[in-house]
Amino acid sequence: MQTIKSIVVGLILGLVILLITSGLITYFYKDEVSLYLVEELNDHISAKIDVEKVNFSILKKFPKASVELENVVAYSPKGYFSKIQQFNTDTLFAAQSVFVQFNLADLLNKNYQITDIHLNRADIRLFVDHLGDANYIFWKQKTGDKKSEFTIDLKGVKITNSELLYCNNVTKTTLITAIDNLDFEGNFSHKNYLMKIQSELFINQLEVDKINYLKNKNVQTNLKLNIIDKLYQIENGILTIENLKFIVDGEIDNAGNKQINLLIKGNKLPLRSVLHNLPPSVVKDFSTIKGQTGDVSIDLNINGNDISVNRPQLQAGFLVENASIFDKKRNIGIHDFFVEGSYTNGANKDPVSTQIIFENFNATIKNSQLNGKLKLTNLHDPQVNAALFTRLNLEDINAFFNVDTIALLSGYAEANINYNGKYAKLKNLQFADLFTPNYLVDLTLSDAVFQIKDNPVKLEGINGNIQLNRNLKAQNLSFKIQDNDFLINGYISQLFDYFHHQKMFNVNASVVSNHINLSQLSLLFKKDDEKNADPVYRLPEKVALSLKLDIKNFEVGKFSATAIRGDLNYKPRMISLHEISFYSMDGYVKAGGVITQKFNNDFLVRMQSRLNKINMHQLFYSFNNFGQEFISNKNLNGNLSGEVFFSSEWNDRLQINKKTIRSENNIIIMNGELINFEPLLGLSKFIDVQELQHIKFSTLKNQITIKDEKVYIPQMDIESSAMNIAASGIHGFDNNFTYHVKVLLSDVISGRLKRSVKRHSEYENVEDDGLGRTSLFLLIEGNPEDYKVKYDRKAAREELKQNMQQEKLTLKQIFQEEFSWGENDSSTLIKKEKQTNNKFEIEWEEDKENKSGEKETIQNNEQKFVIEWEEDTIL
């Protein structure tokens, strides 16, 4: 207890003595030390300094004496630039307190040696202008011969609770930091010594050429500098940014051109912290990407000359291992991420020449694997150069890139992707951007499905190779649209212009297919019309096609064909077919034509076909009887050959305008059959109806014209199973017809006699005359429900006239050959025959021989045959 009391008494006594001593020293040395200090500062500092108050103290920095300068303001050198960037440069620093410290023992011996300096609550502003001149070079050598009683043996410099601004207009570097504590320890008066630097800083901003590398970060340093002359060597220094610890080694040569060579290493740093502390300019583009697991190792080398006015060269290598990253915006994880790369600020040592290179990386994104190389240049406006190989689940593309023009994308692909372009374009990637020169994509698809938004056509089962480089090139690309299959080799050009500027794109390809149903593909052209229930069809405006076709099976409506080959071309509003050949309807067709959609959206169709043995029944069935009803597939059979020229107009609902149908048909019908054709049934007065219901004929040639809603049939000879007929006529689409029929009278009589024999069960031999020289002219008019058969007097008269003219020419030729008579004389040999009455008589050749000059009128009591004049009717 006594010992404790002794200690307490001793401490109190010592404190009292200390206070008394300090008070005495302060009293005797205050004015002297303060006066000398101010004088020395004026001699050594070229800058103007204002000091509000000077205090001398023993206790504030005990065991050292100190002179406290209160409210000190140091100004930049006179004539310095008034403003650099947005900062005023008039003040070098302003401090609430500046302590200049002395050893107490030296002070008693009147040896005023400065050992430490401490700035507290200072605002320090350091500038380098565009000429490289600094405002903080204010120390000068003392002038005159007077020996100073003040010396500097600096052992430490401390800055606390202060703000520091460093702005270098040459290197375009700006540092704004809050200094909690900054200590420099060393024997600064010696030429060679060891300096220790410890700091606790909060860096608000570290910006180089408008790129902010550190923002609002806590930074601590613990460095040891071995100083030899002006060479500063650092070994195993520690630099900590937030919780990222780096080892610093290297040297700084402050002599001559002021060189720096530092190596900063970080080993197995947490990926989460590294991403969090990336430069804000980078983080803003990946603000939703968070590091989950993984390690990052970094080696940064800082090397340069004239570092006071030049930026140093920065080069770094980095390694990321076993990493997982999560994109919160897209809700996608990236796993098994590995990357090895490098960083450099480039030849110009600025952000524009900066390069970040990912030499080798691989990752798993959902169900897709990705690896390759990537180079990023120019931090102001990043340029990306990427070469990637990936095994893709195509659903991952739509999820990750959020391509707004694709409604459905699935399947698998192997892709080689090259991109050279702006990062801003890449991060806002749209489907149309793939067709720019920036991209080169080699894509091998497997079981893919694709559909564009607002388009009903869906491509399924896509397999094959696609290359994208502004144009799209397809190699052995197969896919299905509903029941339609396609195998395509070719290319599509100008897709970028189509997607971005709504200009036309071109398709040039060969198309092979096992089956095409054009009715299903009409979805490509169909548009909904709110005013009408029926869909309307529009040919696309922004596409041009040139296709070589090889289609095994084709169908549209009732029409079907096989082995289709030829060329199909399309330009806006016009489809053209060239040398299209195919087998159909038991025959062979070679065709060409044009389908045009006019400005009122009606379709104009022009076709030319060469037909070879086409089954007429199937032909009329396949084409819906060509829009008419007077003769249908039920009435026809046989093989049709010849040439067909056809044109018509259709509305945008694919309804034909019958008034516009035009057709010229040079045809040959072999083994033809005419079944239940109403106009011919009008001859039932002369021929058995059963024979007229199904007429067969071997060969028929004719040229048939269709126009003005009528079918024009020139005269043709039908040698049929029922009778031989020469017929011509006009048949309207309204089913009203006019037919001119010429029959041999012997066939008519024979037919009537046969019917009479059958009716009375008489088995007499009735023979035709076999000469066929006497003809009967008939006119059949009306419609299938109401028609009449008349004697065609006009046709008979025309026939007689033509026969007489022909006879005249024949006689003239004979006389010229026999007698060499002139043309005028020959006319006297020809006499005009006059018809004395209107009685129609038939003269048989046999009777003429037996009864010369007699005429016989044929009458049959059982079946009276009467031919009436044109004004009268038979039926």
Side-chain angles (χ1 to χ4, degrees):
M1 189 66 178
Q2 184 66 33
T3 304
I4 296 175
K5 289 181 179 180
S6 299
I7 294 173
V8 172
V9 171
L11 289 174
I12 294 173
L13 183 60
L15 181 59
V16 171
I17 295 172
L18 178 61
L19 291 173
I20 294 172
T21 304
S22 64
L24 293 172
I25 295 173
T26 301
Y27 177 78
F28 289 107
Y29 288 91
K30 172 183 177 181
D31 294 335
E32 182 178 350
V33 172
S34 299
L35 179 62
Y36 279 125
L37 177 60
V38 172
E39 289 180 353
E40 288 295 319
L41 288 176
N42 287 328
D43 287 340
H44 286 86
I45 297 176
S46 60
K48 179 184 177 183
I49 297 178
D50 290 337
V51 179
E52 183 178 296
K53 187 177 181 181
V54 179
N55 297 319
F56 180 82
S57 175
I58 295 295
L59 297 179
K60 283 188 176 182
K61 296 295 182 180
F62 186 82
K64 293 185 177 181
S66 64
V67 174
E68 179 184 5
L69 307 177
E70 293 185 9
N71 298 326
V72 180
V73 178
Y75 298 95
S76 294
K78 186 179 290 186
Y80 198 75
F81 286 94
S82 61
K83 202 164 192 177
I84 292 179
Q85 296 184 24
Q86 74 270 28
F87 305 108
N88 293 320
T89 65
D90 56 345
T91 302
L92 174 60
F93 70 86
Q96 183 176 320
S97 300
V98 177
F99 294 92
V100 179
Q101 301 175 42
F102 308 88
N103 282 327
L104 190 56
D106 294 337
L107 185 63
L108 295 174
N109 294 324
K110 293 185 179 278
N111 181 15
Y112 306 123
Q113 190 175 63
I114 299 175
T115 60
D116 298 275
I117 297 175
H118 177 197
L119 277 74
N120 184 45
R121 299 190 181 280
D123 183 5
I124 306 169
R125 292 173 169 258
L126 309 179
F127 294 96
V128 176
D129 63 24
H130 67 282
L131 300 175
D133 296 329
N135 73 330
Y136 49 83
I137 307 300
F138 58 85
W139 193 261
K140 66 178 181 179
Q141 295 297 324
K142 183 179 178 181
T143 59
D145 299 330
K146 180 181 176 183
K147 184 177 180 181
S148 175
E149 294 182 354
F150 270 85
T151 61
I152 297 176
D153 187 15
L154 203 58
K155 299 292 194 299
V157 176
K158 179 188 287 287
I159 301 174
T160 57
N161 304 316
S162 298
E163 302 289 334
L164 171 65
L165 167 65
Y166 173 75
C167 182
N168 190 322
N169 215 23
V170 176
T171 61
K172 292 183 171 53
T173 301
T174 302
L175 171 65
I176 301 175
T177 181
I179 302 173
D180 292 332
N181 183 63
L182 176 58
D183 282 330
F184 297 90
E185 294 182 11
N187 195 343
F188 300 113
S189 300
H190 293 182
K191 189 174 184 179
N192 300 325
Y193 61 95
L194 180 66
M195 186 195 323
K196 297 178 181 179
I197 303 175
Q198 289 184 325
S199 68
E200 293 181 4
L201 313 172
F202 183 81
I203 296 181
N204 302 96
Q205 176 181 325
L206 173 58
E207 183 178 282
V208 179
D209 202 0
K210 299 182 181 179
I211 300 296
N212 199 351
Y213 289 94
L214 288 177
K215 183 176 181 180
N216 300 331
K217 303 298 179 186
N218 290 301
V219 176
Q220 295 86 37
T221 60
N222 190 349
L223 306 174
K224 294 181 180 179
L225 279 68
N226 187 20
I227 299 176
I228 304 173
D229 293 332
K230 293 186 177 181
L231 179 65
Y232 305 156
Q233 296 178 336
I234 304 173
E235 293 184 6
N236 295 321
I238 297 175
L239 170 66
T240 304
I241 302 175
E242 295 292 335
N243 62 336
L244 300 176
K245 184 178 179 181
F246 298 91
I247 304 300
V248 181
D249 290 287
E251 58 186 28
I252 300 173
D253 189 351
N254 205 31
N257 57 4
K258 297 182 179 179
Q259 295 180 336
I260 185 172
N261 187 3
L262 293 180
L263 180 61
I264 301 174
K265 292 183 178 182
N267 189 35
K268 292 192 178 298
L269 306 173
L271 175 63
R272 185 191 301 267
S273 296
V274 172
L275 291 180
H276 179 70
N277 290 286
L278 284 173
S281 59
V282 176
V283 173
K284 71 177 181 180
D285 293 324
F286 302 97
S287 59
T288 62
I289 295 179
K290 305 298 179 183
Q292 294 180 308
T293 62
D295 299 322
V296 180
S297 297
I298 300 174
D299 291 340
L300 171 64
N301 182 253
I302 303 174
N303 190 292
N305 299 321
D306 295 328
I307 58 176
S308 61
V309 293
N310 293 323
R311 301 187 190 97
Q313 182 79 58
L314 303 180
Q315 291 182 323
F318 55 87
L319 178 67
V320 180
E321 300 176 282
N322 304 318
S324 294
I325 300 172
F326 187 75
D327 188 339
K328 295 174 63 177
K329 180 179 180 180
R330 298 178 177 85
N331 197 30
I332 292 176
I334 302 175
H335 307 287
D336 303 324
F337 185 67
F338 171 90
V339 61
E340 183 178 11
S342 62
Y343 165 90
T344 177
N345 60 352
N348 296 329
K349 305 172 186 176
D350 60 16
V352 175
S353 63
T354 293
Q355 292 185 354
I356 302 174
I357 301 174
F358 299 89
E359 296 288 354
N360 180 28
F361 72 89
N362 55 68
T364 300
I365 304 175
K366 282 195 169 182
N367 300 307
S368 303
Q369 282 83 40
L370 179 69
N371 61 71
K373 297 181 179 180
L374 185 145
K375 180 167 71 173
L376 183 70
T377 58
N378 187 357
L379 297 184
H380 282 320
D381 186 13
Q383 177 87 8
V384 177
N385 191 318
L388 311 176
F389 174 78
T390 178
R391 291 180 177 87
L392 286 172
N393 183 324
L394 295 176
E395 292 180 358
D396 297 344
I397 292 180
N398 220 16
F400 192 77
F401 288 104
N402 193 26
V403 183
D404 58 356
T405 52
I406 296 179
L408 179 62
L409 184 63
S410 64
Y412 299 91
E414 289 188 355
N416 285 293
I417 304 170
N418 288 275
Y419 174 74
N420 189 1
K422 299 294 185 182
Y423 170 72
K425 287 284 187 181
L426 184 62
K427 74 175 182 178
N428 297 314
L429 174 67
Q430 296 182 352
F431 180 69
D433 295 329
L434 294 174
F435 304 103
T436 66
N438 304 107
Y439 292 87
L440 175 60
V441 180
D442 190 301
L443 191 65
T444 301
L445 297 164
S446 177
D447 296 325
V449 178
F450 175 76
Q451 185 176 17
I452 296 177
K453 280 186 178 179
D454 302 323
N455 192 314
V457 177
K458 179 169 68 175
L459 278 64
E460 301 177 284
I462 307 173
N463 294 277
N465 180 262
I466 294 176
Q467 296 178 8
L468 302 178
N469 184 16
R470 193 171 182 88
N471 299 328
L472 184 152
K473 182 179 180 181
Q475 292 181 315
N476 297 322
L477 179 66
S478 62
F479 58 89
K480 295 186 71 176
I481 301 175
Q482 295 188 22
D483 297 328
N484 304 273
D485 65 90
F486 300 89
L487 176 63
I488 295 178
N489 285 279
Y491 64 89
I492 304 176
S493 60
Q494 295 180 302
L495 282 169
F496 177 82
D497 294 329
Y498 170 75
F499 283 113
H500 276 276
H501 308 297
Q502 292 300 299
K503 293 185 178 180
M504 186 169 62
F505 68 90
N506 299 310
V507 179
N508 193 317
S510 65
V511 179
V512 178
S513 176
N514 290 313
H515 179 260
I516 290 180
N517 185 333
L518 193 59
S519 299
Q520 293 179 351
L521 295 180
S522 64
L523 292 172
L524 289 166
F525 314 111
K526 184 170 72 173
K527 287 191 175 182
D528 295 329
D529 188 352
E530 296 179 356
K531 299 180 181 179
N532 299 278
D534 296 331
V536 296
Y537 295 87
R538 299 285 188 270
L539 294 179
E541 295 279 358
K542 305 299 182 181
V543 59
L545 300 174
S546 180
L547 303 178
K548 285 191 172 295
L549 303 178
D550 185 356
I551 303 169
K552 290 185 178 180
N553 295 284
F554 176 87
E555 61 179 300
V556 54
K558 297 177 182 179
F559 174 77
S560 62
T562 61
I564 297 178
R565 291 181 175 85
D567 296 330
L568 183 150
N569 297 299
Y570 176 80
K571 59 183 180 180
R573 290 182 170 265
M574 187 172 74
I575 301 172
S576 61
L577 304 173
H578 180 66
E579 294 294 327
I580 299 292
S581 63
F582 55 88
Y583 293 90
S584 179
M585 301 164 287
D586 298 334
Y588 178 76
V589 178
K590 202 165 191 177
V594 176
I595 301 173
T596 303
Q597 189 164 36
K598 301 191 297 184
F599 288 107
N600 63 356
N601 293 321
D602 286 349
F603 290 93
L604 176 62
V605 179
R606 290 191 176 97
M607 303 294 293
Q608 177 181 355
S609 304
R610 292 182 181 178
L611 312 179
N612 187 15
K613 297 182 179 180
I614 298 299
N615 184 287
M616 294 178 60
H617 172 79
Q618 295 183 30
L619 174 65
F620 275 70
Y621 173 80
S622 298
F623 290 94
N624 293 315
N625 297 315
F626 298 98
Q628 50 80 42
E629 298 176 356
F630 79 93
I631 184 168
S632 71
N633 59 291
K634 297 178 180 179
N635 304 124
L636 296 171
N637 210 343
N639 296 325
L640 175 66
S641 298
E643 291 188 348
V644 176
F645 301 86
F646 177 84
S647 70
S648 65
E649 292 187 15
W650 304 63
N651 64 21
D652 56 3
R653 292 172 182 81
L654 301 186
Q655 298 166 337
I656 193 168
N657 182 354
K658 295 180 181 180
K659 294 181 179 180
T660 64
I661 294 178
R662 301 285 187 274
S663 183
E664 294 288 341
N665 308 278
N666 298 310
I667 60 171
I668 300 174
I669 301 175
M670 302 182 66
N671 301 319
E673 299 180 37
L674 201 56
I675 304 166
N676 291 328
F677 186 47
E678 288 289 344
L680 281 183
L681 294 180
L683 299 177
S684 61
K685 187 74 175 178
F686 314 112
I687 303 176
D688 193 340
V689 173
Q690 291 182 353
E691 294 177 348
L692 293 173
Q693 285 178 339
H694 195 157
I695 297 176
K696 298 181 180 180
F697 50 91
S698 57
T699 302
L700 175 64
K701 295 183 180 181
N702 206 351
Q703 183 179 39
I704 297 175
T705 300
I706 302 174
K707 65 178 181 178
D708 302 327
E709 297 187 82
K710 293 182 175 63
V711 180
Y712 296 88
I713 305 173
Q715 182 171 315
M716 57 183 174
D717 297 325
I718 305 174
E719 298 178 359
S720 70
S721 57
M723 63 191 307
N724 297 331
I725 301 173
S728 64
I730 300 174
H731 202 126
F733 287 6
D734 58 1
N735 237 1
N736 289 313
F737 50 76
T738 300
Y739 283 98
H740 300 274
V741 180
K742 172 185 172 183
V743 296
L744 294 176
L745 190 57
S746 57
D747 287 345
V748 172
I749 296 174
S750 175
R752 292 179 60 84
L753 288 175
K754 288 178 182 178
R755 288 196 301 162
S756 176
V757 168
K758 291 178 182 178
R759 183 165 53 248
H760 297 285
S761 301
E762 297 177 1
Y763 297 95
E764 298 178 0
N765 293 327
V766 179
E767 297 181 358
D768 297 333
D769 63 354
L771 299 177
R773 295 182 180 179
T774 304
S775 300
L776 183 63
F777 295 91
L778 302 175
L779 178 66
I780 306 173
E781 289 183 311
N783 57 63
E785 304 298 328
D786 181 18
Y787 61 87
K788 297 178 180 179
V789 179
K790 304 177 182 179
Y791 174 65
D792 195 350
R793 183 179 179 183
K794 182 178 180 181
R797 190 179 298 129
E798 186 68 25
E799 175 81 3
L800 179 61
K801 181 179 180 181
Q802 291 179 0
N803 288 342
M804 291 180 65
Q805 289 178 350
Q806 183 62 41
E807 194 73 23
K808 179 179 178 181
L809 292 175
T810 303
L811 287 173
K812 183 187 293 185
Q813 185 177 359
I814 291 173
F815 280 111
Q816 285 178 344
E817 291 176 356
E818 292 292 333
F819 305 104
S820 299
W821 287 1
E823 293 182 1
N824 295 331
D825 294 336
S826 63
S827 61
T828 60
L829 300 177
I830 301 175
K831 296 181 179 180
K832 296 182 180 178
E833 298 181 2
K834 297 182 180 180
Q835 185 174 353
T836 59
N837 55 59
N838 291 329
K839 185 177 180 180
F840 182 73
E841 296 178 334
I842 301 175
E843 184 177 302
W844 299 104
E845 194 71 23
E846 295 88 342
D847 295 337
K848 186 178 180 179
E849 294 175 358
N850 297 329
K851 301 177 181 179
S852 176
E854 295 183 4
K855 297 180 181 178
E856 181 178 350
T857 301
I858 299 177
Q859 293 182 348
N860 191 317
N861 294 327
E862 294 294 327
Q863 183 174 351
K864 186 177 181 179
F865 179 74
V866 180
I867 298 177
E868 299 183 358
W869 298 107
E870 192 169 356
E871 293 82 2
D872 302 324
T873 60
I874 295 175
L875 298 177

